Amino acid sequence: MTPTEPHTDSREAQPGSREPSTDSRADRFVRELAELKIPDPAAARAGLWLRLGGTLMAVGLVLALSSYFLSHNTQNPLDQRDALALGLGGIAATVVGAALFLRYSLTGFLRFWMARQSHDLAVLADRLLERDLNHDLTGTDAAPR
């Protein structure tokens, strides 16, 4: 069984019976998420960009630190300028890598957070609709607050 497959329980209601289903809330959420066809955030392309961003961050930091030591261990101005240019390139690579890493790590989280919010709003709307349908409009009860 994969994590996206709904868990089947022998206590579930049969399709022709009138008793309510005993699916847990998580099982229903997984089933409805599969119906929405939201792509898995662990897809190959997103994972590739995430790893590339992390690698670029690490390589950029190593490059910047090594160029710092290179520029301070020589008296030749030409070597120092080359090391400074290399250090700036390392800093740029670190910034680009951090942006890629944040973008692809937050995308997966926010995608499922938005799906969860959508699911919760649909459940709330169903509850409110059911309450309104069951509410006696001719009664003498006080107005809802």
Side-chain angles (χ1 to χ4, degrees):
M1 176 187 300
T2 64
T4 57
E5 281 183 13
H7 174 70
T8 56
D9 194 356
S10 60
R11 297 174 294 173
E12 283 184 22
Q14 299 300 324
S17 69
R18 293 245 173 184
E19 57 183 76
S21 175
T22 58
D23 281 352
S24 72
R25 186 174 178 196
D27 293 336
R28 286 190 312 246
F29 177 68
V30 167
R31 187 177 60 245
E32 290 175 4
L33 196 61
E35 290 171 4
L36 290 175
K37 296 181 181 171
I38 294 176
D40 186 15
R45 184 168 295 177
L48 173 70
W49 285 107
L50 186 66
R51 287 190 304 274
L52 178 70
T55 304
L56 206 55
M57 260 194 312
V59 168
L61 282 175
V62 168
L63 193 62
L65 284 175
S66 64
S67 67
Y68 172 80
F69 290 120
L70 182 67
S71 70
H72 279 81
N73 288 333
T74 184
Q75 295 296 323
N76 186 356
L78 297 176
D79 288 339
Q80 287 176 344
R81 290 182 192 132
D82 287 343
L84 288 174
L86 195 61
L88 286 175
I91 291 171
T94 302
V95 170
V96 169
L100 281 172
F101 184 80
L102 280 175
R103 191 256 190 234
Y104 284 99
S105 62
L106 289 177
T107 298
F109 170 74
L110 293 176
R111 178 182 294 129
F112 280 99
W113 177 78
M114 185 175 68
R116 178 62 187 236
Q117 290 294 336
S118 173
H119 172 73
D120 286 344
L121 284 174
V123 168
L124 178 64
D126 290 343
R127 286 183 187 164
L128 290 175
L129 182 63
E130 182 179 325
R131 187 190 68 161
D132 286 345
L133 291 176
N134 292 336
H135 190 294
D136 183 16
L137 296 178
T138 61
T140 59
D141 58 342
R145 295 180 211 178

